[in-house]
């Protein structure tokens, strides 16, 4: 890796240069994909996968790196602690948005869905399409799951309130 960096012929190497040589993905693409999935922004999901693919990156390797990213964010949400070596000060705004806008269950769902599709994608000749479909499916399903969950919770709350009112009604106790 050091030889590759030296062969670039630059006097000063940036972190971006080293990441590119090592095949490491920029965190911005991970954050952007996470927010695109959360917001069901299908056009952004497709554009981000295209961007990765057009840069000549291995999509399967990207998927593995994305799972690791989601794992780190899950630990951050669960413990409030973050490995300072993984993220820069530039990532603070994105991390604040994640902390206020995501639940651990949501990230667990994302990790599980991606992990379940990993092997199929690895051996597929059309892994770009499968990854696009995977991320779109995650965006749509989690949203529907969340809506159904909220509807059921609200329904249970209403039923519980009705039950409490009936219990507190003195006419019922006299019967």
């Amino acid at each position: 890796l050091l030889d590759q960096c030296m062969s670039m012929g630059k006097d000063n190497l940036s972190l971006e240069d080293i990441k590119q040589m090592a095949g490491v993905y920029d965190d911005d693409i991970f954050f952007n994909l996470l927010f695109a999935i959360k917001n069901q922004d299908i056009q952004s999901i497709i554009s981000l996968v295209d961007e990765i693919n057009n840069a000549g990156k291995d999509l399967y390797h990207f998927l593995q790196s994305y799972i690791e990213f989601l794992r780190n964010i899950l630990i951050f949400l669960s413990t409030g602690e973050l490995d300072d070596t993984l993220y820069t000060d530039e990532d603070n705004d994105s991390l604040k948005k994640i902390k206020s806008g995501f639940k651990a269950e949501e990230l667990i769902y994302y990790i599980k869905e991606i992990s379940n599709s990993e092997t199929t994608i690895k051996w597929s000749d059309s892994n770009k399409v499968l990854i696009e479909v995977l991320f779109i499916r995650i965006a749509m399903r989690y949203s529907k799951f969340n809506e159904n969950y909220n509807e059921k919770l609200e329904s249970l709350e209403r039923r519980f309130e009705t039950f409490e009112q009936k219990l507190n009604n003195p006419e019922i106790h006299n019967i």
Side-chain angles (χ1 to χ4, degrees):
L1 180 63
L2 186 57
D3 288 338
Q4 286 179 329
C5 290
M6 290 175 59
S7 71
M8 289 182 74
K10 292 184 176 181
D11 291 335
N12 296 319
L13 291 174
S14 69
L15 179 60
E16 293 306 315
D17 293 333
I18 295 169
K19 281 183 174 182
Q20 184 177 3
M21 295 302 265
V24 175
Y25 299 95
D26 187 16
D27 290 334
D28 286 344
I29 201 145
F30 291 142
F31 284 118
N32 291 340
L33 183 58
L34 183 62
F35 293 124
I37 291 170
K38 171 80 171 180
N39 297 325
Q40 294 181 309
D41 186 349
I42 306 305
Q43 185 59 47
S44 291
I45 291 170
I46 292 170
S47 295
L48 289 165
V49 174
D50 275 344
E51 182 182 328
I52 297 158
N53 192 51
N54 292 340
K57 303 284 185 171
D58 181 315
L59 290 172
Y60 178 72
H61 181 257
F62 171 78
L63 209 55
Q64 292 176 313
S65 298
Y66 192 62
I67 291 171
E68 183 72 20
F69 166 80
L70 291 173
R71 175 227 174 248
N72 293 336
I73 297 299
L74 176 62
I75 290 172
F76 169 65
L77 281 178
S78 301
T79 65
E81 296 178 15
L82 188 63
D83 185 348
D84 294 337
T85 61
L86 296 176
Y87 302 99
T88 64
D89 290 337
E90 296 169 1
D91 297 327
N92 282 338
D93 287 340
S94 295
L95 291 169
K96 286 178 186 174
K97 288 179 187 175
I98 288 170
K99 190 152 187 146
S100 65
F102 285 83
K103 298 177 198 160
E105 296 83 12
E106 192 169 3
L107 294 175
I108 291 168
Y109 175 79
Y110 293 1
I111 292 168
K112 182 180 171 189
E113 289 296 310
I114 294 168
S115 295
N116 287 342
S117 299
E118 238 182 327
T119 305
T120 304
I121 290 170
K122 180 179 183 176
W123 299 109
S124 172
D125 291 333
S126 56
N127 57 6
K128 178 182 179 271
V129 172
L130 291 178
I131 289 174
E132 289 171 337
V133 170
L134 169 66
F135 289 141
I136 292 167
R137 188 183 75 221
I138 290 171
M140 297 173 88
R141 275 198 185 158
Y142 189 79
S143 173
K144 287 180 182 175
F145 165 79
N146 214 16
E147 287 172 14
N148 290 340
Y149 176 79
N150 288 336
E151 288 172 13
K152 288 178 181 179
L153 184 60
E154 288 173 9
S155 173
L156 284 172
E157 286 173 345
R158 284 192 301 272
R159 290 174 62 192
F160 184 73
E161 286 173 8
T162 304
F163 182 70
E164 272 185 327
Q165 289 171 352
K166 288 181 180 178
L167 278 177
N168 292 329
N169 186 347
E171 294 176 11
I172 293 178
H173 296 293
N174 294 334
I175 297 180

